[in-house]
Amino acid sequence: MDITEQLKAWGAAHAQARAAERAAGEEGPTGQDAEVQRAARSLRERADSLHRDIYRSLDRGRNSPK
């Protein structure tokens, strides 16, 4: 996957995480609260992981011999 594809994947994951976090914040005290928060946390972790991978890829490219 090239950097452009990685950035697109991160953008989509980040948008999903933000939407889920907003939904979790808007939820009233229900039995689904914990589940919604877990889902939001999972999406955030995925977005953060993709973000780290992008920076690692960029760093490898910058440090590769020319």
Side-chain angles (χ1 to χ4, degrees), residues 38-55:
R38 265 193 304 277
R41 195 169 27 257
S42 176
L43 289 167
R44 170 58 56 200
E45 289 169 2
R46 168 103 173 102
D48 290 348
S49 175
L50 289 169
H51 195 244
R52 281 189 302 275
D53 291 346
I54 290 167
Y55 272 89

Side-chain angles (χ1 to χ4, degrees), residues 9-32:
W10 171 76
H14 183 67
Q16 275 187 307
R18 287 182 54 142
E21 289 166 343
R22 273 194 302 276
E26 293 171 0
E27 283 289 315
T30 67
Q32 292 179 340

Side-chain angles (χ1 to χ4, degrees), residues 7 20 35-36 40 59:
L7 286 167
E35 186 176 329
V36 171
D59 193 45

